[in-house]
Amino acid sequence: EVLTEDPETAFCTLANREDLNLEEGSIYHCLYQFTRNEKLTETNKLLCDVCTQRHCGPKKNLKSEKYIYTNAKKQMLISLVPPVLTLHLKRFQQAGFNLRKVNRHIKFPEVIDLAPFCTVKCKNVAEGNTKVLYSLYGVVEHSGTMRSGHYTAYAKMRSMNNHLSDPVLRGQSPQETEPVKGQWFHISDTHVQAVSASKVLSSQAYLLFYERLL
């Protein structure tokens, strides 16, 4: 579905994307690439109903070869931020007829700001807010190859915090800007071990789980 938007704000975000530290191999770089502005040209041109009707009359009276296609811009941005953010990293690539696992470490922070990837008209962000913060609480890691391997997880044990949970249950956002305090644990089958936050942040993440702070 193509929606008519104000051209002045159609590609605007809650926070300036140019201020990001886009270090290659970071989760911010991945999100920036995923939400980048794309040009639709040649075989990717957009079918324009307005152009078609202006030149040829009602579309229902046309054959498909008379439709008017035009160059366009496309950008995928977040229009409704979730209480829990799940990021799934694509850890495989096509190599000829085979799939190859990507073992590269992707840097990710304990607190991430989604504002540079949200539309300026994001539905559940208060007007004037230029930050949408999330705190990391879980990581899934995969070791091995595309044919075999082992999944382990890192999870943060936090004490119940009504100041954070109550607003989320009411569909609101808690007003916190620091990571949720707690102890990290590494879970591998039945083995559980306490680990440091630095150990978690150095893991080869496959899935990242964040909870909303602001």
Side-chain angles (χ1 to χ4, degrees), residues 68-104:
I68 304 299
Y69 292 82
T70 183
N71 293 335
K73 290 193 297 183
K74 168 190 170 185
Q75 186 174 27
M76 295 177 63
L77 295 172
I78 299 168
S79 63
L80 185 71
V81 294
V84 173
L85 172 69
T86 304
L87 298 177
H88 183 183
L89 301 181
K90 180 183 175 183
R91 286 211 167 270
F92 65 89
Q93 63 182 16
Q94 190 81 27
F97 294 101
N98 299 316
L99 289 177
R100 177 185 302 163
K101 185 186 174 188
V102 177
N103 290 309
R104 182 179 183 180

PDB file of all heavy atoms in Angstrom, residues 68-104:
ATOM      1  N   ILE A  68       1.580   3.618 -15.921  1.00  0.00           N
ATOM      2  CA  ILE A  68       2.725   4.512 -15.854  1.00  0.00           C
ATOM      3  C   ILE A  68       3.550   4.181 -14.608  1.00  0.00           C
ATOM      4  O   ILE A  68       3.047   4.190 -13.492  1.00  0.00           O
ATOM      5  CB  ILE A  68       2.277   5.988 -15.807  1.00  0.00           C
ATOM      6  CG1 ILE A  68       1.382   6.315 -17.008  1.00  0.00           C
ATOM      7  CG2 ILE A  68       3.495   6.910 -15.766  1.00  0.00           C
ATOM      8  CD1 ILE A  68       2.072   6.128 -18.338  1.00  0.00           C
ATOM      9  N   TYR A  69       4.823   3.897 -14.826  1.00  0.00           N
ATOM     10  CA  TYR A  69       5.754   3.629 -13.735  1.00  0.00           C
ATOM     11  C   TYR A  69       6.728   4.802 -13.621  1.00  0.00           C
ATOM     12  O   TYR A  69       7.097   5.411 -14.619  1.00  0.00           O
ATOM     13  CB  TYR A  69       6.525   2.335 -13.982  1.00  0.00           C
ATOM     14  CG  TYR A  69       5.656   1.101 -13.908  1.00  0.00           C
ATOM     15  CD1 TYR A  69       4.897   0.697 -15.007  1.00  0.00           C
ATOM     16  CD2 TYR A  69       5.581   0.344 -12.748  1.00  0.00           C
ATOM     17  CE1 TYR A  69       4.084  -0.427 -14.943  1.00  0.00           C
ATOM     18  CE2 TYR A  69       4.779  -0.782 -12.672  1.00  0.00           C
ATOM     19  CZ  TYR A  69       4.033  -1.159 -13.771  1.00  0.00           C
ATOM     20  OH  TYR A  69       3.229  -2.264 -13.699  1.00  0.00           O
ATOM     21  N   THR A  70       7.120   5.102 -12.389  1.00  0.00           N
ATOM     22  CA  THR A  70       7.987   6.263 -12.177  1.00  0.00           C
ATOM     23  C   THR A  70       9.089   5.944 -11.178  1.00  0.00           C
ATOM     24  O   THR A  70       8.957   5.025 -10.356  1.00  0.00           O
ATOM     25  CB  THR A  70       7.143   7.455 -11.658  1.00  0.00           C
ATOM     26  OG1 THR A  70       7.983   8.606 -11.531  1.00  0.00           O
ATOM     27  CG2 THR A  70       6.543   7.145 -10.301  1.00  0.00           C
ATOM     28  N   ASN A  71      10.182   6.707 -11.267  1.00  0.00           N
ATOM     29  CA  ASN A  71      11.241   6.581 -10.266  1.00  0.00           C
ATOM     30  C   ASN A  71      10.698   6.985  -8.905  1.00  0.00           C
ATOM     31  O   ASN A  71       9.835   7.865  -8.797  1.00  0.00           O
ATOM     32  CB  ASN A  71      12.439   7.459 -10.628  1.00  0.00           C
ATOM     33  CG  ASN A  71      13.145   6.983 -11.885  1.00  0.00           C
ATOM     34  OD1 ASN A  71      13.081   5.815 -12.237  1.00  0.00           O
ATOM     35  ND2 ASN A  71      13.815   7.894 -12.574  1.00  0.00           N
ATOM     36  N   ALA A  72      11.211   6.360  -7.852  1.00  0.00           N
ATOM     37  CA  ALA A  72      10.701   6.652  -6.512  1.00  0.00           C
ATOM     38  C   ALA A  72      11.795   6.405  -5.482  1.00  0.00           C
ATOM     39  O   ALA A  72      12.869   5.881  -5.806  1.00  0.00           O
ATOM     40  CB  ALA A  72       9.481   5.784  -6.203  1.00  0.00           C
ATOM     41  N   LYS A  73      11.502   6.829  -4.265  1.00  0.00           N
ATOM     42  CA  LYS A  73      12.391   6.558  -3.136  1.00  0.00           C
ATOM     43  C   LYS A  73      11.654   5.682  -2.126  1.00  0.00           C
ATOM     44  O   LYS A  73      10.453   5.820  -1.933  1.00  0.00           O
ATOM     45  CB  LYS A  73      12.846   7.857  -2.467  1.00  0.00           C
ATOM     46  CG  LYS A  73      13.792   8.683  -3.301  1.00  0.00           C
ATOM     47  CD  LYS A  73      14.453   9.791  -2.471  1.00  0.00           C
ATOM     48  CE  LYS A  73      13.441  10.776  -1.945  1.00  0.00           C
ATOM     49  NZ  LYS A  73      14.106  11.890  -1.202  1.00  0.00           N
ATOM     50  N   LYS A  74      12.397   4.803  -1.461  1.00  0.00           N
ATOM     51  CA  LYS A  74      11.812   3.881  -0.494  1.00  0.00           C
ATOM     52  C   LYS A  74      12.691   3.850   0.753  1.00  0.00           C
ATOM     53  O   LYS A  74      13.920   3.830   0.661  1.00  0.00           O
ATOM     54  CB  LYS A  74      11.729   2.472  -1.096  1.00  0.00           C
ATOM     55  CG  LYS A  74      11.397   1.370  -0.103  1.00  0.00           C
ATOM     56  CD  LYS A  74      11.572  -0.003  -0.753  1.00  0.00           C
ATOM     57  CE  LYS A  74      11.475  -1.107   0.273  1.00  0.00           C
ATOM     58  NZ  LYS A  74      11.748  -2.447  -0.309  1.00  0.00           N
ATOM     59  N   GLN A  75      12.038   3.845   1.907  1.00  0.00           N
ATOM     60  CA  GLN A  75      12.783   3.725   3.158  1.00  0.00           C
ATOM     61  C   GLN A  75      11.918   3.000   4.181  1.00  0.00           C
ATOM     62  O   GLN A  75      10.751   3.336   4.371  1.00  0.00           O
ATOM     63  CB  GLN A  75      13.189   5.093   3.697  1.00  0.00           C
ATOM     64  CG  GLN A  75      14.103   5.017   4.920  1.00  0.00           C
ATOM     65  CD  GLN A  75      14.609   6.385   5.344  1.00  0.00           C
ATOM     66  OE1 GLN A  75      13.970   7.400   5.105  1.00  0.00           O
ATOM     67  NE2 GLN A  75      15.769   6.422   5.967  1.00  0.00           N
ATOM     68  N   MET A  76      12.489   1.996   4.827  1.00  0.00           N
ATOM     69  CA  MET A  76      11.785   1.249   5.867  1.00  0.00           C
ATOM     70  C   MET A  76      12.167   1.824   7.224  1.00  0.00           C
ATOM     71  O   MET A  76      13.335   1.768   7.617  1.00  0.00           O
ATOM     72  CB  MET A  76      12.137  -0.241   5.790  1.00  0.00           C
ATOM     73  CG  MET A  76      11.673  -0.915   4.517  1.00  0.00           C
ATOM     74  SD  MET A  76      12.189  -2.651   4.408  1.00  0.00           S
ATOM     75  CE  MET A  76      11.305  -3.340   5.808  1.00  0.00           C
ATOM     76  N   LEU A  77      11.184   2.391   7.932  1.00  0.00           N
ATOM     77  CA  LEU A  77      11.403   2.946   9.259  1.00  0.00           C
ATOM     78  C   LEU A  77      10.387   2.364  10.231  1.00  0.00           C
ATOM     79  O   LEU A  77       9.344   1.853   9.832  1.00  0.00           O
ATOM     80  CB  LEU A  77      11.269   4.481   9.231  1.00  0.00           C
ATOM     81  CG  LEU A  77      12.309   5.250   8.408  1.00  0.00           C
ATOM     82  CD1 LEU A  77      11.925   6.719   8.313  1.00  0.00           C
ATOM     83  CD2 LEU A  77      13.698   5.103   9.013  1.00  0.00           C
ATOM     84  N   ILE A  78      10.681   2.457  11.518  1.00  0.00           N
ATOM     85  CA  ILE A  78       9.806   1.916  12.553  1.00  0.00           C
ATOM     86  C   ILE A  78       8.695   2.924  12.842  1.00  0.00           C
ATOM     87  O   ILE A  78       8.964   4.088  13.143  1.00  0.00           O
ATOM     88  CB  ILE A  78      10.603   1.616  13.832  1.00  0.00           C
ATOM     89  CG1 ILE A  78      11.689   0.572  13.535  1.00  0.00           C
ATOM     90  CG2 ILE A  78       9.682   1.123  14.948  1.00  0.00           C
ATOM     91  CD1 ILE A  78      12.702   0.419  14.651  1.00  0.00           C
ATOM     92  N   SER A  79       7.437   2.486  12.754  1.00  0.00           N
ATOM     93  CA  SER A  79       6.310   3.383  12.999  1.00  0.00           C
ATOM     94  C   SER A  79       5.642   3.120  14.342  1.00  0.00           C
ATOM     95  O   SER A  79       4.828   3.925  14.794  1.00  0.00           O
ATOM     96  CB  SER A  79       5.267   3.239  11.884  1.00  0.00           C
ATOM     97  OG  SER A  79       4.732   1.925  11.868  1.00  0.00           O
ATOM     98  N   LEU A  80       5.970   2.012  15.002  1.00  0.00           N
ATOM     99  CA  LEU A  80       5.396   1.679  16.307  1.00  0.00           C
ATOM    100  C   LEU A  80       6.456   0.901  17.083  1.00  0.00           C
ATOM    101  O   LEU A  80       6.767  -0.242  16.730  1.00  0.00           O
ATOM    102  CB  LEU A  80       4.129   0.835  16.136  1.00  0.00           C
ATOM    103  CG  LEU A  80       3.337   0.502  17.399  1.00  0.00           C
ATOM    104  CD1 LEU A  80       2.637   1.740  17.923  1.00  0.00           C
ATOM    105  CD2 LEU A  80       2.307  -0.593  17.121  1.00  0.00           C
ATOM    106  N   VAL A  81       7.031   1.506  18.126  1.00  0.00           N
ATOM    107  CA  VAL A  81       8.126   0.842  18.844  1.00  0.00           C
ATOM    108  C   VAL A  81       7.557  -0.186  19.821  1.00  0.00           C
ATOM    109  O   VAL A  81       6.549   0.069  20.480  1.00  0.00           O
ATOM    110  CB  VAL A  81       9.020   1.864  19.580  1.00  0.00           C
ATOM    111  CG1 VAL A  81       9.748   2.735  18.580  1.00  0.00           C
ATOM    112  CG2 VAL A  81       8.221   2.722  20.539  1.00  0.00           C
ATOM    113  N   PRO A  82       8.194  -1.355  19.950  1.00  0.00           N
ATOM    114  CA  PRO A  82       7.665  -2.418  20.806  1.00  0.00           C
ATOM    115  C   PRO A  82       8.186  -2.306  22.240  1.00  0.00           C
ATOM    116  O   PRO A  82       9.237  -1.703  22.484  1.00  0.00           O
ATOM    117  CB  PRO A  82       8.218  -3.677  20.138  1.00  0.00           C
ATOM    118  CG  PRO A  82       9.547  -3.237  19.598  1.00  0.00           C
ATOM    119  CD  PRO A  82       9.362  -1.800  19.167  1.00  0.00           C
ATOM    120  N   PRO A  83       7.480  -2.913  23.222  1.00  0.00           N
ATOM    121  CA  PRO A  83       7.999  -2.948  24.594  1.00  0.00           C
ATOM    122  C   PRO A  83       9.245  -3.831  24.693  1.00  0.00           C
ATOM    123  O   PRO A  83      10.125  -3.581  25.501  1.00  0.00           O
ATOM    124  CB  PRO A  83       6.836  -3.517  25.410  1.00  0.00           C
ATOM    125  CG  PRO A  83       5.984  -4.234  24.419  1.00  0.00           C
ATOM    126  CD  PRO A  83       6.135  -3.498  23.131  1.00  0.00           C
ATOM    127  N   VAL A  84       9.311  -4.880  23.849  1.00  0.00           N
ATOM    128  CA  VAL A  84      10.479  -5.765  23.786  1.00  0.00           C
ATOM    129  C   VAL A  84      10.984  -5.778  22.352  1.00  0.00           C
ATOM    130  O   VAL A  84      10.231  -6.047  21.413  1.00  0.00           O
ATOM    131  CB  VAL A  84      10.128  -7.199  24.241  1.00  0.00           C
ATOM    132  CG1 VAL A  84      11.309  -8.133  23.997  1.00  0.00           C
ATOM    133  CG2 VAL A  84       9.739  -7.210  25.714  1.00  0.00           C
ATOM    134  N   LEU A  85      12.264  -5.461  22.186  1.00  0.00           N
ATOM    135  CA  LEU A  85      12.891  -5.406  20.867  1.00  0.00           C
ATOM    136  C   LEU A  85      13.737  -6.661  20.656  1.00  0.00           C
ATOM    137  O   LEU A  85      14.624  -6.958  21.451  1.00  0.00           O
ATOM    138  CB  LEU A  85      13.775  -4.157  20.767  1.00  0.00           C
ATOM    139  CG  LEU A  85      14.653  -4.035  19.523  1.00  0.00           C
ATOM    140  CD1 LEU A  85      13.796  -3.796  18.287  1.00  0.00           C
ATOM    141  CD2 LEU A  85      15.663  -2.905  19.694  1.00  0.00           C
ATOM    142  N   THR A  86      13.441  -7.398  19.589  1.00  0.00           N
ATOM    143  CA  THR A  86      14.212  -8.589  19.235  1.00  0.00           C
ATOM    144  C   THR A  86      14.929  -8.341  17.915  1.00  0.00           C
ATOM    145  O   THR A  86      14.281  -8.045  16.909  1.00  0.00           O
ATOM    146  CB  THR A  86      13.303  -9.825  19.094  1.00  0.00           C
ATOM    147  OG1 THR A  86      12.568 -10.020  20.303  1.00  0.00           O
ATOM    148  CG2 THR A  86      14.130 -11.078  18.819  1.00  0.00           C
ATOM    149  N   LEU A  87      16.248  -8.453  17.916  1.00  0.00           N
ATOM    150  CA  LEU A  87      17.056  -8.268  16.707  1.00  0.00           C
ATOM    151  C   LEU A  87      17.647  -9.609  16.303  1.00  0.00           C
ATOM    152  O   LEU A  87      18.337 -10.256  17.092  1.00  0.00           O
ATOM    153  CB  LEU A  87      18.173  -7.248  16.954  1.00  0.00           C
ATOM    154  CG  LEU A  87      17.714  -5.832  17.318  1.00  0.00           C
ATOM    155  CD1 LEU A  87      18.925  -4.940  17.599  1.00  0.00           C
ATOM    156  CD2 LEU A  87      16.854  -5.231  16.221  1.00  0.00           C
ATOM    157  N   HIS A  88      17.350 -10.034  15.085  1.00  0.00           N
ATOM    158  CA  HIS A  88      17.797 -11.321  14.561  1.00  0.00           C
ATOM    159  C   HIS A  88      18.861 -11.060  13.498  1.00  0.00           C
ATOM    160  O   HIS A  88      18.577 -10.476  12.453  1.00  0.00           O
ATOM    161  CB  HIS A  88      16.591 -12.059  13.960  1.00  0.00           C
ATOM    162  CG  HIS A  88      16.917 -13.426  13.442  1.00  0.00           C
ATOM    163  ND1 HIS A  88      15.996 -14.216  12.813  1.00  0.00           N
ATOM    164  CD2 HIS A  88      18.065 -14.147  13.461  1.00  0.00           C
ATOM    165  CE1 HIS A  88      16.545 -15.355  12.469  1.00  0.00           C
ATOM    166  NE2 HIS A  88      17.807 -15.333  12.846  1.00  0.00           N
ATOM    167  N   LEU A  89      20.094 -11.446  13.775  1.00  0.00           N
ATOM    168  CA  LEU A  89      21.198 -11.194  12.853  1.00  0.00           C
ATOM    169  C   LEU A  89      21.283 -12.299  11.803  1.00  0.00           C
ATOM    170  O   LEU A  89      21.230 -13.488  12.141  1.00  0.00           O
ATOM    171  CB  LEU A  89      22.522 -11.107  13.624  1.00  0.00           C
ATOM    172  CG  LEU A  89      22.596 -10.024  14.707  1.00  0.00           C
ATOM    173  CD1 LEU A  89      23.956 -10.037  15.371  1.00  0.00           C
ATOM    174  CD2 LEU A  89      22.308  -8.662  14.126  1.00  0.00           C
ATOM    175  N   LYS A  90      21.421 -11.912  10.570  1.00  0.00           N
ATOM    176  CA  LYS A  90      21.561 -12.876   9.480  1.00  0.00           C
ATOM    177  C   LYS A  90      22.996 -13.394   9.476  1.00  0.00           C
ATOM    178  O   LYS A  90      23.914 -12.700   9.027  1.00  0.00           O
ATOM    179  CB  LYS A  90      21.221 -12.216   8.145  1.00  0.00           C
ATOM    180  CG  LYS A  90      21.340 -13.147   6.948  1.00  0.00           C
ATOM    181  CD  LYS A  90      21.061 -12.391   5.662  1.00  0.00           C
ATOM    182  CE  LYS A  90      21.307 -13.280   4.444  1.00  0.00           C
ATOM    183  NZ  LYS A  90      21.102 -12.547   3.176  1.00  0.00           N
ATOM    184  N   ARG A  91      23.178 -14.609   9.953  1.00  0.00           N
ATOM    185  CA  ARG A  91      24.537 -15.155  10.077  1.00  0.00           C
ATOM    186  C   ARG A  91      24.825 -16.212   9.021  1.00  0.00           C
ATOM    187  O   ARG A  91      25.403 -17.258   9.301  1.00  0.00           O
ATOM    188  CB  ARG A  91      24.761 -15.720  11.483  1.00  0.00           C
ATOM    189  CG  ARG A  91      24.941 -14.616  12.521  1.00  0.00           C
ATOM    190  CD  ARG A  91      25.848 -15.046  13.652  1.00  0.00           C
ATOM    191  NE  ARG A  91      26.278 -13.928  14.478  1.00  0.00           N
ATOM    192  CZ  ARG A  91      27.364 -13.212  14.271  1.00  0.00           C
ATOM    193  NH1 ARG A  91      28.131 -13.478  13.228  1.00  0.00           N
ATOM    194  NH2 ARG A  91      27.688 -12.227  15.081  1.00  0.00           N
ATOM    195  N   PHE A  92      24.390 -15.950   7.801  1.00  0.00           N
ATOM    196  CA  PHE A  92      24.760 -16.835   6.694  1.00  0.00           C
ATOM    197  C   PHE A  92      24.826 -16.011   5.420  1.00  0.00           C
ATOM    198  O   PHE A  92      24.226 -14.943   5.317  1.00  0.00           O
ATOM    199  CB  PHE A  92      23.758 -17.977   6.541  1.00  0.00           C
ATOM    200  CG  PHE A  92      22.372 -17.528   6.146  1.00  0.00           C
ATOM    201  CD1 PHE A  92      22.014 -17.402   4.808  1.00  0.00           C
ATOM    202  CD2 PHE A  92      21.434 -17.227   7.111  1.00  0.00           C
ATOM    203  CE1 PHE A  92      20.746 -16.980   4.443  1.00  0.00           C
ATOM    204  CE2 PHE A  92      20.161 -16.806   6.761  1.00  0.00           C
ATOM    205  CZ  PHE A  92      19.815 -16.685   5.417  1.00  0.00           C
ATOM    206  N   GLN A  93      25.574 -16.490   4.453  1.00  0.00           N
ATOM    207  CA  GLN A  93      25.664 -15.828   3.161  1.00  0.00           C
ATOM    208  C   GLN A  93      25.757 -16.872   2.067  1.00  0.00           C
ATOM    209  O   GLN A  93      26.192 -18.007   2.303  1.00  0.00           O
ATOM    210  CB  GLN A  93      26.886 -14.902   3.103  1.00  0.00           C
ATOM    211  CG  GLN A  93      28.219 -15.603   3.242  1.00  0.00           C
ATOM    212  CD  GLN A  93      29.388 -14.628   3.237  1.00  0.00           C
ATOM    213  OE1 GLN A  93      29.223 -13.442   3.426  1.00  0.00           O
ATOM    214  NE2 GLN A  93      30.592 -15.143   3.024  1.00  0.00           N
ATOM    215  N   GLN A  94      25.306 -16.494   0.872  1.00  0.00           N
ATOM    216  CA  GLN A  94      25.339 -17.399  -0.271  1.00  0.00           C
ATOM    217  C   GLN A  94      26.738 -17.432  -0.847  1.00  0.00           C
ATOM    218  O   GLN A  94      27.345 -16.399  -1.116  1.00  0.00           O
ATOM    219  CB  GLN A  94      24.345 -16.925  -1.328  1.00  0.00           C
ATOM    220  CG  GLN A  94      24.118 -17.906  -2.457  1.00  0.00           C
ATOM    221  CD  GLN A  94      23.147 -19.008  -2.088  1.00  0.00           C
ATOM    222  OE1 GLN A  94      22.298 -18.802  -1.241  1.00  0.00           O
ATOM    223  NE2 GLN A  94      23.292 -20.160  -2.709  1.00  0.00           N
ATOM    224  N   ALA A  95      27.273 -18.651  -1.014  1.00  0.00           N
ATOM    225  CA  ALA A  95      28.590 -18.842  -1.630  1.00  0.00           C
ATOM    226  C   ALA A  95      28.423 -19.850  -2.759  1.00  0.00           C
ATOM    227  O   ALA A  95      28.497 -21.061  -2.548  1.00  0.00           O
ATOM    228  CB  ALA A  95      29.606 -19.339  -0.616  1.00  0.00           C
ATOM    229  N   GLY A  96      28.136 -19.345  -3.959  1.00  0.00           N
ATOM    230  CA  GLY A  96      27.817 -20.242  -5.067  1.00  0.00           C
ATOM    231  C   GLY A  96      26.470 -20.901  -4.809  1.00  0.00           C
ATOM    232  O   GLY A  96      25.452 -20.243  -4.637  1.00  0.00           O
ATOM    233  N   PHE A  97      26.472 -22.241  -4.753  1.00  0.00           N
ATOM    234  CA  PHE A  97      25.249 -22.982  -4.459  1.00  0.00           C
ATOM    235  C   PHE A  97      25.170 -23.380  -2.988  1.00  0.00           C
ATOM    236  O   PHE A  97      24.263 -24.109  -2.583  1.00  0.00           O
ATOM    237  CB  PHE A  97      25.176 -24.244  -5.338  1.00  0.00           C
ATOM    238  CG  PHE A  97      25.030 -23.945  -6.809  1.00  0.00           C
ATOM    239  CD1 PHE A  97      26.116 -24.023  -7.662  1.00  0.00           C
ATOM    240  CD2 PHE A  97      23.797 -23.553  -7.326  1.00  0.00           C
ATOM    241  CE1 PHE A  97      25.989 -23.737  -9.013  1.00  0.00           C
ATOM    242  CE2 PHE A  97      23.657 -23.270  -8.677  1.00  0.00           C
ATOM    243  CZ  PHE A  97      24.754 -23.355  -9.516  1.00  0.00           C
ATOM    244  N   ASN A  98      26.101 -22.901  -2.194  1.00  0.00           N
ATOM    245  CA  ASN A  98      26.151 -23.280  -0.783  1.00  0.00           C
ATOM    246  C   ASN A  98      25.901 -22.079   0.123  1.00  0.00           C
ATOM    247  O   ASN A  98      26.103 -20.930  -0.268  1.00  0.00           O
ATOM    248  CB  ASN A  98      27.529 -23.886  -0.446  1.00  0.00           C
ATOM    249  CG  ASN A  98      27.817 -25.133  -1.255  1.00  0.00           C
ATOM    250  OD1 ASN A  98      26.962 -25.995  -1.404  1.00  0.00           O
ATOM    251  ND2 ASN A  98      29.030 -25.222  -1.784  1.00  0.00           N
ATOM    252  N   LEU A  99      25.460 -22.389   1.336  1.00  0.00           N
ATOM    253  CA  LEU A  99      25.312 -21.370   2.359  1.00  0.00           C
ATOM    254  C   LEU A  99      26.500 -21.457   3.301  1.00  0.00           C
ATOM    255  O   LEU A  99      26.909 -22.547   3.703  1.00  0.00           O
ATOM    256  CB  LEU A  99      24.012 -21.582   3.146  1.00  0.00           C
ATOM    257  CG  LEU A  99      22.711 -21.282   2.398  1.00  0.00           C
ATOM    258  CD1 LEU A  99      21.518 -21.607   3.278  1.00  0.00           C
ATOM    259  CD2 LEU A  99      22.664 -19.826   1.956  1.00  0.00           C
ATOM    260  N   ARG A 100      27.057 -20.299   3.644  1.00  0.00           N
ATOM    261  CA  ARG A 100      28.225 -20.250   4.513  1.00  0.00           C
ATOM    262  C   ARG A 100      27.884 -19.437   5.756  1.00  0.00           C
ATOM    263  O   ARG A 100      27.257 -18.379   5.667  1.00  0.00           O
ATOM    264  CB  ARG A 100      29.384 -19.606   3.770  1.00  0.00           C
ATOM    265  CG  ARG A 100      30.652 -19.437   4.596  1.00  0.00           C
ATOM    266  CD  ARG A 100      31.698 -18.680   3.799  1.00  0.00           C
ATOM    267  NE  ARG A 100      32.013 -19.349   2.549  1.00  0.00           N
ATOM    268  CZ  ARG A 100      32.636 -18.774   1.523  1.00  0.00           C
ATOM    269  NH1 ARG A 100      32.980 -17.488   1.609  1.00  0.00           N
ATOM    270  NH2 ARG A 100      32.901 -19.442   0.435  1.00  0.00           N
ATOM    271  N   LYS A 101      28.279 -19.927   6.925  1.00  0.00           N
ATOM    272  CA  LYS A 101      27.995 -19.209   8.155  1.00  0.00           C
ATOM    273  C   LYS A 101      28.922 -17.994   8.274  1.00  0.00           C
ATOM    274  O   LYS A 101      30.095 -18.057   7.928  1.00  0.00           O
ATOM    275  CB  LYS A 101      28.181 -20.117   9.373  1.00  0.00           C
ATOM    276  CG  LYS A 101      27.765 -19.436  10.673  1.00  0.00           C
ATOM    277  CD  LYS A 101      28.069 -20.260  11.896  1.00  0.00           C
ATOM    278  CE  LYS A 101      27.767 -19.438  13.145  1.00  0.00           C
ATOM    279  NZ  LYS A 101      28.202 -20.094  14.371  1.00  0.00           N
ATOM    280  N   VAL A 102      28.365 -16.895   8.789  1.00  0.00           N
ATOM    281  CA  VAL A 102      29.131 -15.671   9.033  1.00  0.00           C
ATOM    282  C   VAL A 102      29.533 -15.657  10.505  1.00  0.00           C
ATOM    283  O   VAL A 102      28.679 -15.553  11.387  1.00  0.00           O
ATOM    284  CB  VAL A 102      28.308 -14.410   8.688  1.00  0.00           C
ATOM    285  CG1 VAL A 102      29.092 -13.153   9.030  1.00  0.00           C
ATOM    286  CG2 VAL A 102      27.905 -14.430   7.229  1.00  0.00           C
ATOM    287  N   ASN A 103      30.819 -15.774  10.770  1.00  0.00           N
ATOM    288  CA  ASN A 103      31.309 -15.860  12.150  1.00  0.00           C
ATOM    289  C   ASN A 103      31.806 -14.521  12.694  1.00  0.00           C
ATOM    290  O   ASN A 103      32.323 -14.466  13.804  1.00  0.00           O
ATOM    291  CB  ASN A 103      32.450 -16.878  12.236  1.00  0.00           C
ATOM    292  CG  ASN A 103      31.952 -18.303  12.035  1.00  0.00           C
ATOM    293  OD1 ASN A 103      31.008 -18.740  12.681  1.00  0.00           O
ATOM    294  ND2 ASN A 103      32.578 -19.022  11.114  1.00  0.00           N
ATOM    295  N   ARG A 104      31.637 -13.478  11.934  1.00  0.00           N
ATOM    296  CA  ARG A 104      32.161 -12.165  12.324  1.00  0.00           C
ATOM    297  C   ARG A 104      31.458 -11.653  13.590  1.00  0.00           C
ATOM    298  O   ARG A 104      30.250 -11.788  13.759  1.00  0.00           O
ATOM    299  CB  ARG A 104      31.945 -11.176  11.193  1.00  0.00           C
ATOM    300  CG  ARG A 104      32.492  -9.802  11.460  1.00  0.00           C
ATOM    301  CD  ARG A 104      32.247  -8.914  10.256  1.00  0.00           C
ATOM    302  NE  ARG A 104      32.824  -7.595  10.431  1.00  0.00           N
ATOM    303  CZ  ARG A 104      32.755  -6.636   9.538  1.00  0.00           C
ATOM    304  NH1 ARG A 104      32.150  -6.854   8.388  1.00  0.00           N
ATOM    305  NH2 ARG A 104      33.306  -5.457   9.767  1.00  0.00           N
TER     306      ARG A 104
END
